[in-house]
């Protein structure tokens, strides 16, 4: 069984840093977007979040500039980012049970590499994706499809914390498990199509035997 895991908000507690960074980056560009709206967009790839929060015109005229602002601001926050409690243990439990584990992140390569080191899980994951691997990020299914390809196919389940993760998994034709650690309400995850919802990956680890990761074939 292939476990495809999101990173931000699922394994690493950084969704609110991302939300604030996008809020401040857009404000620096003269566009005021409430932090709560920026938070609800976490999980959308950086290639499309400017248009999502602003407009297509803003993306065309200043998209790259705003992404540079966000990268700078988020970079200044990295030292305060910590793993989600129990995240590394969850990944190791999956590996011990014989699951193939691939991380499917729409973050940039530097961030994903840094979080692999923060979590200390390089030795147990079978691969990972970044925004550089696809033309379109979540909620498009491309990242999930790349993860499936790298694992050689087979039955799979996605684990993520946003509705964008769940939608991407659904579009790729696989079930998704939602976790609440990214700050998205259970109703939002279930409305997007989550097969099950847990407080965190640590709770999911404790209930693996009864989860979609055990039931899927």
């Amino acid at each position: 069984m292939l476990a495809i895991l999101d990173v931000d908000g699922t394994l690493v507690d950084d969704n609110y840093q991302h939300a604030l960074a996008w809020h401040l980056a857009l404000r620096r560009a003269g566009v005021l977007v409430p932090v709560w709206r920026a938070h609800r967009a976490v999980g959308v790839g950086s290639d499309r979040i400017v248009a999502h929060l602003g407009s297509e015109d803003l993306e065309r005229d200043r998209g790259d500039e705003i992404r540079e602002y966000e990268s700078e601001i988020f970079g200044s926050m990295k030292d305060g980012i910590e793993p989600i409690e129990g995240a590394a243990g969850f990944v190791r439990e999956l590996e011990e049970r014989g699951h193939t584990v691939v991380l499917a992140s729409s973050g940039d390569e530097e961030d994903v590499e840094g979080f692999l080191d923060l979590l200390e899980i390089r030795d147990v994951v079978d691969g990972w994706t970044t925004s550089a691997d696809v033309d379109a990020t979540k909620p498009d299914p491309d990242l999930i499809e790349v993860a499936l390809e790298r694992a050689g196919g087979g039955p799979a389940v996605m684990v993520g914390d946003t509705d964008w993760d769940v939608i991407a998994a659904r579009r790729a034709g696989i079930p998704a498990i939602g976790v609440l650690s990214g700050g998205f309400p259970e109703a939002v995850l279930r409305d997007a199509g989550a097969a099950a919802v847990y407080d965190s990956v640590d709770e999911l680890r404790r209930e693996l035997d009864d989860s979609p990761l055990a039931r899927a074939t």
Side-chain angles (χ1 to χ4, degrees):
M1 168 67 62
L2 169 60
I4 301 176
L5 310 181
D6 174 58
V7 178
D8 297 300
T10 301
L11 302 178
V12 178
D13 190 9
D14 65 346
N15 273 13
Y16 290 97
Q17 285 92 335
H18 273 301
L20 185 58
W22 283 112
H23 164 78
L24 293 173
L26 285 158
R27 192 169 75 180
R28 187 183 295 183
V31 180
L32 184 59
V33 173
V35 178
W36 72 265
R37 280 198 60 222
H39 174 253
R40 281 290 287 111
V42 171
V44 175
S46 62
D47 58 321
R48 58 180 60 193
I49 197 170
V50 175
H52 180 81
L53 290 172
S55 66
E56 293 291 346
D57 288 344
L58 182 65
E59 166 58 36
R60 183 186 64 247
D61 297 339
R62 305 189 68 184
D64 289 342
E65 175 187 1
I66 293 169
R67 275 183 284 277
E68 288 182 7
Y69 291 160
E70 193 276 340
S71 180
E72 174 193 338
I73 295 165
F74 182 71
S76 71
M77 302 176 180
K78 285 183 182 178
D79 286 346
I81 293 173
E82 297 288 346
I84 297 289
E85 184 176 0
F90 169 67
V91 177
R92 292 186 179 280
E93 176 85 7
L94 291 176
E95 190 267 344
E96 289 170 4
R97 287 172 175 244
H99 291 281
T100 300
V101 180
V102 177
L103 309 186
S105 173
S106 54
D108 65 34
E109 186 172 356
E110 180 183 349
D111 286 348
V112 175
E113 293 277 349
F115 293 148
L116 281 164
D117 292 336
L118 179 67
L119 290 158
E120 299 181 343
I121 56 172
R122 282 183 182 270
D123 60 323
V124 292
V125 299
D126 298 280
W128 56 87
T129 71
T130 72
S131 57
D133 294 315
V134 295
D135 293 326
T137 54
K138 302 170 190 174
D140 280 0
D142 301 35
L143 283 165
I144 312 300
E145 291 168 351
V146 169
L148 285 164
E149 181 181 343
R150 290 184 176 175
V157 174
M158 171 79 183
V159 181
D161 65 293
T162 75
D163 49 345
W164 313 110
D165 296 318
V166 177
I167 292 167
R170 189 182 71 223
R171 290 176 176 175
I174 67 171
I177 296 171
V179 289
L180 302 180
S181 49
F184 284 61
E186 180 174 355
V188 169
L189 298 174
R190 290 199 180 276
D191 286 349
V197 178
Y198 298 84
D199 283 347
S200 67
V201 290
D202 196 44
E203 181 185 52
L204 173 55
R205 178 188 60 79
R206 296 192 300 270
E207 300 185 18
L208 268 177
D209 288 337
D210 296 318
S211 77
L213 272 166
R215 295 194 299 268
T217 57

